[in-house]
Amino acid sequence: MKLFNIFGIDIKINWWFMILLVLYIVLDIWIQALGVFLVVIWHELWHCIVAYLNGIKVREVELLPFGGVAKLDGLLEESGSKEIKVALAGPLSNFFLATVIATGLTLHLFYHPMAYFLFLYNIVIGVFNLLPTLPLDGGRIVRGWLSGRIGLLRATRITARMGQAIAIILLLCGTVATYYQWVDFHLVIIALFIWIGATREREEAFYIHWRSLLNKKKRNIKEKVHQAEYLVSKADVELKQILPRLVTNKYNLITVIDKNGTAIGTVSEDELLDSIGKLRHDAEIKTLLKKS
């Protein structure tokens, strides 16, 4: 649900978050509800600031109970280091705020039960978002590190699978802990949230990868010097097997070899992408050599 628009950024609130806030108000802990809302806003604000400083446009921010999801135009076409910077900004801002509050409490500059709640919630938000699963910040950090090495598509799929595995572990632990009344049902809800988010990221992985590749041509025109990624492929390998291995933040060059391992030609990234729509996905890479 859209709340408002500020500086061209749509601020939306997830229904799960809305239900949680309403529940807090019904239980007459509206001050905590306000605190949760402000901490999440603080977390996302720093994602937006760091994205802006790196020349990335923020289109939309969706607020969730344990952070949020900022939709950034062109982030995945950039280097993985930029995704890492933007992802780290949120948790680090929470740890910074928790440190400020802890300092104030230790030096007796102020004291209020709400301050202790905000200290704990900032720590929880910061640590939780560093879990290595998409769509959390930890997953984006891992994907940013992997994407420059194995490509965006494979990095997204690996990180999403990690998220699904973490969700299953949390669900089992949460179910047992709830049964024995060690903790309440919040851990189960967190597990479901992670599973849904990781599954959605995994399903959208190829679309994100393909969109990034198509948008690369615009960036390639602007940049004068490119970092290159070199691949070696046998002549009979199908195009659909090569596309997932393309690295989105580098210029890809594919050396084609015959059955004896002898190089018989090179296919550029542009030639490969231009062939999509003209050739079937099961066409072999050697068919592009005839046109080059």
Side-chain angles (χ1 to χ4, degrees):
M1 182 177 71
K2 182 176 177 179
L3 295 179
F4 52 86
N5 181 288
I6 182 170
F7 301 122
I9 304 172
D10 287 335
I11 307 299
K12 298 182 178 181
I13 185 168
N14 182 273
W15 284 107
W16 286 101
F17 194 16
M18 178 69 76
I19 291 171
L20 180 64
L21 292 176
V22 171
L23 180 61
Y24 274 26
I25 294 173
V26 170
L27 295 175
D28 198 24
I29 49 176
W30 63 270
I31 295 181
Q32 284 89 333
L34 178 62
V36 168
F37 183 77
L38 292 177
V39 168
V40 172
I41 287 287
W42 169 264
H43 178 101
E44 290 305 313
L45 172 65
W46 282 96
H47 281 314
C48 295
I49 291 174
V50 173
Y52 175 78
L53 293 176
N54 281 273
I56 299 168
K57 178 178 174 56
V58 183
R59 179 164 41 90
E60 176 185 304
V61 172
E62 183 181 17
L63 304 178
L64 301 165
F66 306 102
V69 176
K71 296 184 179 180
L72 311 174
D73 285 341
L75 175 62
L76 297 179
E77 286 87 47
E78 300 289 344
S79 64
S81 61
K82 286 191 177 182
E83 183 171 24
I84 292 173
K85 290 177 185 177
V86 174
L88 271 174
L92 289 180
S93 73
N94 291 121
F95 295 143
F96 171 76
L97 190 56
T99 301
V100 171
I101 295 172
T103 302
L105 291 173
T106 303
L107 298 178
H108 304 289
L109 299 178
F110 53 80
Y111 179 77
H112 191 280
M114 187 62 185
Y116 185 66
F117 171 81
L118 289 175
F119 166 76
L120 288 179
Y121 197 70
N122 271 287
I123 295 295
V124 169
I125 287 289
V127 172
F128 174 75
N129 273 278
L130 287 176
L131 287 175
T133 170
L134 293 171
L136 301 182
D137 297 327
R140 300 191 183 281
I141 292 169
V142 172
R143 181 172 66 183
W145 183 80
L146 286 176
S147 62
R149 293 162 175 79
I150 61 174
L152 177 63
L153 179 58
R154 294 172 67 196
T156 300
R157 285 175 173 170
I158 288 172
T159 314
R161 288 193 194 102
M162 289 169 59
Q164 290 175 321
I166 291 173
I168 292 172
I169 293 172
L170 290 178
L171 181 61
L172 293 174
C173 292
T175 302
V176 172
T178 302
Y179 178 80
Y180 287 103
Q181 298 183 340
W182 296 335
V183 297
D184 57 23
F185 59 89
H186 280 83
L187 195 57
V188 174
I189 294 177
I190 291 172
L192 294 175
F193 163 74
I194 291 177
W195 176 269
I196 293 171
T199 301
R200 183 172 61 183
E201 292 279 352
R202 186 177 177 183
E203 291 173 348
E204 295 178 352
F206 188 80
Y207 166 74
I208 293 172
H209 177 69
W210 182 239
R211 186 182 63 185
S212 299
L213 289 175
L214 292 178
N215 290 337
K216 275 187 68 178
K217 298 197 72 172
K218 298 178 182 178
R219 192 183 69 192
N220 288 343
I221 294 173
K222 295 179 181 178
E223 296 184 3
K224 296 181 178 180
V225 180
H226 305 273
Q227 282 189 314
E229 179 73 11
Y230 296 97
L231 302 172
V232 178
S233 168
K234 289 187 177 181
D236 59 353
V237 172
E238 297 175 353
L239 299 181
K240 64 182 179 183
Q241 294 176 276
I242 296 176
L243 285 173
R245 295 183 177 274
L246 298 183
V247 177
T248 54
N249 58 1
K250 295 181 181 179
Y251 191 86
N252 297 268
L253 292 168
I254 304 105
T255 297
V256 183
I257 59 176
D258 60 20
K259 60 182 179 180
N260 297 318
T262 303
I264 57 175
T266 301
V267 175
S268 71
E269 175 183 288
D270 287 336
E271 290 171 326
L272 181 60
L273 294 179
D274 288 342
S275 71
I276 305 302
K278 301 176 183 177
L279 300 175
R280 293 168 54 92
H281 281 192
D282 57 0
E284 297 175 348
I285 186 71
K286 64 183 179 184
T287 58
L288 297 182
L289 292 177
K290 300 175 182 178
K291 299 181 180 182
S292 58

